[in-house]
Amino acid sequence: THPNVVTQATGYMRGCVAYKIDSMKGTDSVIREAIERAIARGYCKKGDNIIAVFGKSEELAGATDMSRIITA
């Protein structure tokens, strides 16, 4: 993901925080890392429900077609 996309996403998705990641491979590990970052920054705490939005096709930008409710 280009850094400008991260900046743009932060501006128009109210209540969402965008992060640039090195690899989109390993969806579960990417989600886990995002939750750890959110807890560290005080956006949520352990036990909170989080909605993860992602795609079935790993490493394919723009293929967001799934969501999952996860407990931090």
Side-chain angles (χ1 to χ4, degrees), residues 5-7 9-10 13 16-20 37:
V5 174
V6 174
T7 303
T10 301
M13 292 190 299
C16 294
V17 178
Y19 293 110
K20 179 162 181 353
R37 286 184 184 189

Side-chain angles (χ1 to χ4, degrees), residues 23-54:
S23 171
M24 293 189 297
K25 190 168 186 175
T27 301
D28 290 335
S29 64
V30 171
I31 291 171
R32 209 171 21 255
E33 180 183 338
I35 291 171
E36 290 171 6
R37 286 184 184 189
I39 291 170
R41 288 173 172 79
Y43 298 138
C44 64
K45 60 185 181 306
K46 250 189 173 354
D48 284 352
N49 287 326
I50 295 170
I51 300 173
V53 181
F54 55 97

